Amino acid sequence: MKAETLSNAPLVQPRVEPPPRVSGCRRLWRWLDDRLGLSALAYPVPAHANTLPYTLGGITFVGFLILFLTGALLGQFYDPMPETARDSVLYIIRQAPWAT
């Protein structure tokens, strides 16, 4: 009897939905994320790090660090004597290491 009821049952095939379309930007992001692991940068940020003084303090520190390093580098090559100041500036511009 069971065999009869199964054989008489109408065949209903489940509807297969096509995969959702993915925009070009999302595909590019997935491609970059697969290769560079950018999603690992998405971590929770502490509440104190989202404040303006915290951010400005970091920017100020980096600015002073760059100012100190470039001043030390220029101090190695600049000669403040009036007779040789121009030549030392030309040397810094044209020949000193890390100068452009």
Side-chain angles (χ1 to χ4, degrees):
M1 185 102 172
K2 266 189 176 179
E4 282 181 7
T5 56
L6 289 178
S7 64
N8 293 338
L11 294 176
V12 178
Q13 296 194 0
R15 184 173 180 202
V16 178
E17 302 260 343
R21 291 194 51 146
V22 180
S23 68
C25 291
R26 185 160 311 260
R27 280 187 290 163
L28 176 64
W29 173 254
R30 286 182 184 169
W31 182 81
L32 283 172
D33 188 35
D34 286 344
R35 279 141 187 87
L36 302 176
L38 297 174
S39 62
L41 297 175
Y43 55 88
V45 178
H48 73 278
N50 286 330
T51 61
L52 187 62
Y54 184 85
T55 303
L56 292 179
I59 293 171
T60 305
F61 174 72
V62 170
F64 276 122
L65 188 64
I66 291 171
L67 184 68
F68 176 75
L69 293 175
T70 56
L73 182 65
L74 288 175
Q76 300 297 315
F77 300 107
Y78 180 69
D79 186 13
M81 299 299 294
E83 300 84 26
T84 58
R86 182 179 185 279
D87 293 331
S88 69
V89 170
L90 290 176
Y91 175 78
I92 291 169
I93 293 172
R94 296 181 181 160
Q95 297 174 357
W98 301 310
T100 56

